[in-house]
Amino acid sequence: DGSTMIEDHISFLRDTRRMANTAFVKARVPPAEEISPTPKGNERVVFRLHFLRGFGLPVSGFLRSFLDFNHFQPHHLTPNTVTLLSAFVTACEGYIGILPTLELWGAFFYGKLGTSAKDTAAQCGGFVTVRRPTKRNAFPVIKLSQSVKLWQQSYFYVENVDPAVDFINLPA
C-alpha cells in the first residue's frame, strides 16, 4: 500500500503554517500506483502524521542537529518521537527560556532501534524515543499514542523552490 495523501492534506498544512507556501516549498503527492517512497531529484520524504505532532518546515535548528547527529531522515522517526522532540523544544524555548541542546535531550531521553524482524532495523520508524525512568528526570511525563497504525502511508515529497534558499532544512 502506498501513500494516502491528497492535495487537500497539503493545503491544510500550508493553511495552518506548518509548511511554507508554494513560492518557497514545492510539495508533491505520490502517484496512486507508487507502493513505497521514490523521491525525485532534491525531494525529501516527509509524513503528514509528523506534521500533526509538531513537525514543521523549515525544521528547527535543534531538530536538524538531532537528525544530523544520528544520521537520520524524518522517516526514521516514529510519530511519538516527533511528539517528544516537539514537546522538548517547546519546554526549553517556551517555558524554561533556553535553547534546546542534544546534551539536555540526552539527560531526559534515550533512543533505541526498532526492528521489523529479529536483529533487522526497520526501514521506516526504526528509531524509538524513551523517557529516562529515573526519579531525577524532571521532564514531564507525556501521554503518547499507543497505536499509530499506518502512519507510514501519510508520506509525500517536499523540495525547496529555490535551491539557494532552504525552507526545508532537512539533511540530504
Side-chain angles (χ1 to χ4, degrees):
D1 296 337
S3 178
T4 58
M5 282 296 292
I6 58 174
E7 290 294 335
D8 285 349
H9 294 152
I10 292 173
S11 295
F12 172 80
L13 296 176
R14 290 190 195 280
D15 291 346
T16 57
R17 298 185 177 188
R18 292 174 169 109
M19 186 169 60
N21 68 38
T22 57
F24 304 104
V25 175
K26 291 186 252 182
R28 181 172 68 86
V29 171
E33 65 277 0
E34 186 176 278
I35 295 173
S36 63
T38 310
K40 298 177 182 176
N42 292 321
E43 290 180 333
R44 301 289 179 269
V45 178
V46 292
F47 297 85
R48 179 174 167 262
L49 255 53
H50 284 173
F51 282 91
L52 300 179
R53 284 165 173 72
F55 186 86
L57 294 176
V59 300
S60 70
F62 171 74
L63 180 55
R64 177 59 189 260
S65 296
F66 181 85
L67 293 170
D68 286 344
F69 180 79
N70 291 292
H71 305 287
F72 286 160
Q73 288 287 335
H75 69 267
H76 293 112
L77 308 177
T78 63
N80 282 342
T81 293
V82 173
T83 298
L84 291 172
L85 286 162
S86 179
F88 175 73
V89 170
T90 300
C92 288
E93 293 178 355
Y95 293 98
I96 304 169
I98 62 172
L99 289 175
T101 65
L102 293 174
E103 293 81 6
L104 186 57
W105 168 264
F108 297 132
F109 302 98
Y110 66 93
K112 61 183 185 178
L113 202 56
T115 58
S116 59
K118 188 175 193 262
D119 300 324
T120 303
Q123 290 288 326
C124 195
F127 182 79
V128 178
T129 298
V130 180
R131 184 180 178 275
R132 291 193 184 277
T134 65
K135 290 182 182 181
R136 296 183 315 165
N137 189 341
F139 199 85
V141 175
I142 296 174
K143 184 164 175 62
L144 300 170
S145 298
Q146 293 299 309
S147 175
V148 192
K149 292 181 180 176
L150 307 178
W151 69 269
Q152 297 97 333
Q153 291 180 355
S154 70
Y155 75 89
F156 64 104
Y157 306 105
V158 293
E159 180 179 5
N160 285 302
V161 170
D162 180 356
V165 183
D166 192 357
F167 279 92
I168 294 173
N169 197 27
L170 289 172

